[in-house]
Amino acid sequence: MHSTLFAHIPVNHTERYTLQNPQLLKTDVTMGSSPVLARQGAMVAFEGQIEFDSQYRNRSWRNAERMTGERLELMRCKGNGIVYLANFAQYLHIMEVGRGITVDSSAVLAFDGSLNVGIVAVDSAVEVASAGAYNLELSGGGKVVLMTSGEPLVLEVTPEKNICVDSDAVIAWSTSLRTQLQAPTSTSAVWRRRGSTGEGWEMHFGGHGHVLVQPSELLPPQHLRTSGVLGQFGMGAGGLSGNSLGGSRN
């Protein structure tokens, strides 16, 4: 039997996580001392003896979920073999966590169970599409596999170069960065939803680190934590100055 399909046989690997192709992850569950935690439903194939536990929750996760209502839809993969993971053919990116990243849980495909995981609140009057009310904060020794719709852009933030990105396109950023949510329009124009520019809310980053942006914007923010007309534009008790995300207020 001959076919060009046979060019897509499993690739060789020397690491726990290997890209079979830009949209499919090959995961060697046998490697490493901790289990692999993956997005529920992301398994497309596996080889060997693998157990999938969709009810896995550690104590800190249970406490965070009880306080925030934010549930981590993850499954624990353990055993002896290979698992192939994907999610709607999104582009996949393997990275060392290091000092820490803050990421929307919907952009996580898999990560090492050895990582420290926290659910952190977004200090904002508005819940935006990608930077939701709560995000994951990952730190420690280990890797995470992130997903983007299309090939991403990585921007470096320095004290001399602050970065602004569309809040609907941001995927993750260095935990060390200061963040603030702001409207891209003047005070008079902000009363028209998304202003007159056609752009959504912006996230401003300061400090030293990196920001990951995807070339795709989700729907504009619809689910607001405050009510009334003021709440629709992020002008709650704190006004526009209160729209800061996990950082200091300027």
Side-chain angles (χ1 to χ4, degrees):
M1 182 176 179
H2 300 280
S3 172
T4 55
L5 286 173
F6 289 103
H8 302 288
I9 62 175
V11 298
N12 295 326
H13 68 281
T14 58
E15 303 284 342
R16 167 174 265 193
Y17 303 110
T18 304
L19 290 182
Q20 171 68 29
N21 61 52
Q23 296 152 306
L24 181 62
L25 181 73
K26 181 179 183 179
T27 307
D28 190 335
V29 177
T30 310
M31 301 180 71
S33 57
S34 62
V36 173
L37 302 178
R39 185 183 186 86
Q40 288 186 14
M43 184 275 293
V44 297
F46 70 91
E47 307 170 5
Q49 301 298 317
I50 308 294
E51 296 180 11
F52 301 94
D53 181 5
S54 63
Q55 303 301 316
Y56 174 73
R57 296 288 185 278
N58 64 28
R59 180 178 300 178
S60 63
W61 293 11
R62 289 194 297 269
N63 291 339
E65 289 170 4
R66 185 170 57 252
M67 295 174 60
T68 65
E70 187 82 355
R71 183 176 176 84
L72 301 180
E73 301 295 341
L74 300 172
M75 61 182 180
R76 178 172 60 178
C77 310
K78 63 178 182 178
N80 184 13
I82 304 293
V83 178
Y84 293 91
L85 302 169
N87 185 62
F88 293 102
Q90 289 185 290
Y91 283 77
L92 307 179
H93 316 279
I94 305 167
M95 66 173 296
E96 292 277 358
V97 170
R99 295 184 178 181
I101 64 168
T102 302
V103 58
D104 190 298
S105 59
S106 65
V108 174
L109 180 69
F111 59 89
D112 290 326
S114 58
L115 291 174
N116 300 316
V117 183
I119 298 178
V120 294
V122 174
D123 179 21
S124 173
V126 177
E127 293 181 17
V128 292
S130 286
Y134 298 96
N135 289 273
L136 294 185
E137 189 173 274
L138 304 177
S139 62
K143 294 183 179 181
V144 62
V145 183
L146 302 180
M147 305 181 293
T148 61
S149 297
E151 296 186 3
L153 172 67
V154 177
L155 297 170
E156 183 178 10
V157 183
T158 68
E160 297 78 26
K161 183 178 66 176
N162 295 338
I163 297 294
C164 285
V165 303
D166 191 304
S167 60
D168 295 330
V170 64
I171 293 295
W173 59 90
S174 303
T175 300
S176 59
L177 291 175
R178 300 186 308 275
T179 58
Q180 185 175 24
L181 184 70
Q182 59 190 32
T185 61
S186 64
T187 303
S188 60
V190 76
W191 295 103
R192 297 190 296 275
R193 191 167 178 81
R194 295 174 69 89
S196 59
T197 64
E199 295 298 327
W201 294 87
E202 295 173 352
M203 285 185 67
H204 178 272
F205 293 91
H208 194 281
H210 294 85
V211 179
L212 177 65
V213 180
Q214 67 179 2
S216 174
E217 297 182 28
L218 303 178
L219 292 175
Q222 297 292 339
H223 303 292
L224 307 179
R225 301 172 68 184
T226 55
S227 59
V229 176
L230 289 178
Q232 293 181 24
F233 296 96
M235 298 181 67
L240 287 176
S241 62
N243 289 338
S244 60
L245 296 174
S248 59
R249 298 173 186 267
N250 294 330

